[in-house]
Amino acid sequence: MSHETPITIKIQDSDNVAIVVNRAGLAAGTVLADGTELLEHVPAGHKVALAAIPAGGNVLRYGEVIGHAIADIARGQWVNEHRVALPTPPRLEDLPLATRPAPEQEALEGYTFEGYRNEDGSVGTRNILGISTSVQCVAGMTNYVVKRIREELLPRFPNVDDVVALNHTYGCGVAIGAPAAIVPIRTLQNMARNPNFGGEIMVIGLGCEKLQPTRLLRPEDDGAQPLKVVDPAELEQDSILSLQDEQFNGFGEMVEGILAMAERHLHKLNQRQRETCPASELVVGMQCGGSDAFSGITANPAVGYATDLIVRAGGSVMFSEVTEVRDAIHLLTPRAATREVGEALIREMEWYDNYLNMGQADRSANPSPGNKKGGLSNVVEKALGSIAKSGTSPIVDVLSPGERIRRRGLIFAATPASDFICGTLQFASGMNLQVFTTGRGTPYGLAVAPVIKVSTNSTLGNRWHDLIDLDAGRIATGQASIADVGWELFRLILDVASGRTQVAADKLGLHNDLVLFNPAPVT
């Protein structure tokens, strides 16, 4: 048996389980500080029972019921997903709304970053030429021209960071008039308006698709504010090219037409310069993926601390992932700034409950096998750790999938929990930088916005030393506090937003595809 001092973490006094911190886990016979003797080996990140739990009894972590014992669990036993039954989710009809006073937090002044100020007042952290598409049919063409632009044009425009194809699988063969079709459509519209593109966006279309290219650059046709006031004819000439246009005689002329259009946009983007902007212009998306039981102890609370710092500085933070919020919604609705915001939170939970029911699925579809291997027994435990990313600030607004940010502060942007869909929807909502926590590890990155990856445990942080930007695992071993890592992350966000620090995914060129959320029928 190892002579290493056993380390466990118990979150609340009322908890009857603790998390094992020791890298190799703890062996049977190990005696914890409270006198609990382990009856079997408990892996790192997994739970050990600190008291006997009878069959049907509550399993408590974070001071909340994360499940019920399927059979008697003895003190010192390993508490895993096979021994814990999923509890009933909180009833949406009985939730308190806007009952918790906002914590008294002193304004954080004097923090700045170097960003790209846009005509509409928004600020980008990157200077990118975005090439969107109105239909998946043209994706091969956009990939081809992006390669050509990077090789032939981009070197002539040193102030432009990159050119990115916004390919997707939407645009035709879909029920474009269905009510839920507004989700992918406004997502594409609002992606084009992201501050990292500086208003210079191109759209490549085919010509016969249901989603006509002009609709992507004229969201006012769907009741939204326009990207910028421009004559429709000028818009088509300057920013839209359809491959079926009769003016093109073959592939070569199509390519030359796109390159000529790209060059005009690159000239404009090249005039953009970084300037000092207050931290209040930050719009940061918070996300987690490949989570483990340390997520809710280390990385997510540190992210939550940084969230509060950004909000105190006047900035905006989005947290998301409906299925990883649903079982902790009773802890969020009291934090709503108004009853209307609380009702909007409930509305999004109801919408997603119905969406899952239509697919004959339920919340037990989450977590993943990797989450369980990392110590998370069920989605309730996962949700309680996930919401730690939201910090303690009041929730000032709720966005439906793909909606654009409307006010500053802490915002719930409703998205699925899928990493790629969540990232896409947060980007559409106006995110100019993302923070991503992970315990199991993922090479996830986005070409359209920098992604800071934070490890929940130092085993991953050390092993993936060139893929992780910040290790929060030091919190579990007592080498750093939540506040220490929170401040470290806040300063890193400012450096990355300023272009002073390059995130690991960008250094390595690791960028995931953008993925639309389409809850509407495909025909």
Side-chain angles (χ1 to χ4, degrees):
M1 183 168 57
S2 171
H3 297 291
E4 183 182 14
T5 301
I7 305 173
T8 59
I9 296 177
K10 177 182 174 181
I11 305 297
Q12 298 288 343
D13 290 341
S14 59
D15 291 355
N16 55 14
V17 295
I19 302 299
V20 172
V21 176
N22 302 72
R23 181 175 178 179
L26 292 175
T30 300
V31 178
L32 305 182
D34 71 343
T36 298
E37 181 177 349
L38 269 64
L39 303 181
E40 57 189 318
H41 176 262
V42 180
H46 285 249
K47 297 177 289 295
V48 56
L50 301 178
I53 306 172
N58 294 336
V59 179
L60 298 168
R61 187 180 176 210
Y62 300 107
E64 298 284 333
V65 176
I66 65 168
H68 306 294
I70 293 173
D72 290 347
I73 298 175
R75 183 182 183 186
Q77 270 195 304
W78 176 14
V79 181
N80 56 36
E81 72 272 19
H82 304 296
R83 289 173 170 157
V84 180
L86 192 63
T88 302
R91 280 174 48 86
L92 297 177
E93 300 84 356
D94 303 330
L95 297 177
L97 302 179
T99 56
R100 185 177 303 170
E104 292 186 11
Q105 295 180 326
E106 186 178 347
L108 205 58
E109 298 177 345
Y111 288 91
T112 62
F113 69 100
E114 302 300 308
Y116 295 99
R117 176 76 66 177
N118 298 315
E119 289 181 11
D120 65 357
S122 65
V123 175
T125 62
R126 283 189 172 170
N127 188 24
I128 297 172
L129 172 60
I131 302 181
S132 189
T133 63
S134 56
V135 67
Q136 205 274 340
C137 308
V138 303
M141 176 65 83
T142 53
N143 289 334
Y144 177 85
V145 295
V146 162
K147 184 174 183 294
R148 290 276 303 269
I149 292 168
R150 284 180 179 153
E151 293 173 352
E152 300 171 25
L153 298 181
L154 211 53
R156 293 165 40 202
F157 302 96
N159 291 335
V160 182
D161 296 323
D162 200 1
V163 54
V164 176
L166 308 180
N167 289 329
H168 56 85
T169 58
Y170 198 68
C172 211
V174 294
I176 204 160
I182 190 59
V183 173
I185 293 170
R186 73 179 169 217
T187 301
L188 288 168
Q189 291 171 334
N190 287 332
M191 280 201 299
R193 306 167 78 194
N194 187 280
N196 288 352
F197 296 138
E200 298 299 323
I201 193 86
M202 294 168 50
V203 180
I204 307 302
L206 186 59
C208 58
E209 60 270 29
K210 288 184 176 181
L211 181 61
Q212 286 295 294
T214 51
R215 194 170 179 184
L216 298 186
L217 297 187
R218 289 181 56 80
E220 61 269 32
D221 293 344
D222 292 296
Q225 292 295 315
L227 181 65
K228 55 184 177 181
V229 178
V230 64
D231 179 80
E234 180 185 340
L235 183 70
E236 289 197 48
Q237 183 179 2
D238 184 60
S239 300
I240 296 172
L241 189 146
S242 293
L243 301 186
Q244 291 176 352
D245 195 311
E246 293 182 1
Q247 68 173 302
F248 298 122
N249 185 18
F251 175 76
E253 287 193 4
M254 296 175 192
V255 171
E256 291 306 315
I258 296 171
L259 294 181
M261 182 180 289
E263 187 168 4
R264 294 194 295 272
H265 284 274
L266 288 169
H267 272 291
K268 296 177 184 177
L269 287 171
N270 201 51
Q271 295 171 18
R272 298 176 84 204
Q273 301 284 339
R274 288 190 184 270
E275 60 182 75
T276 301
C277 301
S280 58
E281 299 294 353
L282 288 170
V283 183
V284 181
M286 302 300 189
Q287 190 184 353
C288 53
S291 299
D292 65 0
F294 289 110
S295 296
I297 299 173
T298 61
N300 290 352
V303 165
Y305 194 95
T307 290
D308 287 339
L309 294 177
I310 294 168
V311 172
R312 286 171 57 193
S316 303
V317 175
M318 290 182 277
F319 73 108
S320 300
E321 303 169 278
V322 174
T323 53
E324 295 176 13
V325 162
R326 175 65 176 87
D327 280 276
I329 191 62
H330 61 293
L331 302 177
L332 294 178
T333 53
R335 290 172 52 193
T338 64
R339 285 190 61 85
E340 291 74 19
V341 171
E343 289 165 355
L345 278 168
I346 293 173
R347 181 192 68 228
E348 293 301 334
M349 299 302 113
E350 288 176 335
W351 188 95
Y352 217 87
D353 283 354
N354 293 332
Y355 172 72
L356 291 176
N357 287 336
M358 284 191 298
Q360 299 181 26
D362 61 30
R363 64 205 230 284
S364 66
N366 193 337
S368 70
N371 295 148
K372 293 176 181 178
K373 191 173 181 181
L376 293 173
S377 294
N378 57 35
V379 72
V380 180
E381 184 178 13
K382 190 176 184 181
L384 291 166
S386 176
I387 65 166
K389 300 192 299 294
S390 68
T392 62
S393 299
I395 301 166
V396 300
D397 202 6
V398 176
L399 303 178
S400 293
E403 285 188 330
R404 197 170 190 233
I405 189 170
R406 293 180 285 252
R407 53 181 59 94
R408 299 177 193 268
L410 178 64
I411 297 152
F412 179 69
T415 76
S418 161
D419 298 346
F420 322 108
I421 296 176
C422 176
T424 301
L425 289 170
Q426 286 190 343
F427 183 74
S429 292
M431 169 189 87
N432 53 21
L433 182 148
Q434 190 177 54
V435 175
F436 190 103
T437 69
T438 183
R440 305 298 294 168
T442 172
Y444 171 86
L446 295 173
V448 290
V451 178
I452 297 172
K453 287 207 290 296
V454 182
S455 60
T456 71
N457 63 84
S458 294
T459 299
L460 175 67
N462 293 329
R463 187 161 50 90
W464 282 31
H465 57 91
D466 49 0
L467 283 163
I468 296 296
D469 298 292
L470 181 64
D471 175 29
R474 295 168 290 152
I475 296 169
T477 55
Q479 296 169 288
S481 68
I482 289 171
D484 292 337
V485 179
W487 271 107
E488 191 176 347
L489 176 58
F490 177 67
R491 294 187 177 100
L492 179 59
I493 287 169
L494 295 176
D495 283 343
V496 170
S498 300
R500 292 189 291 265
T501 298
Q502 189 178 32
V503 297
D506 289 347
K507 289 178 186 176
L508 299 169
L510 302 176
H511 299 134
N512 289 88
D513 292 338
L514 296 172
V515 182
L516 293 181
F517 178 38
N518 178 26
V522 176
T523 58

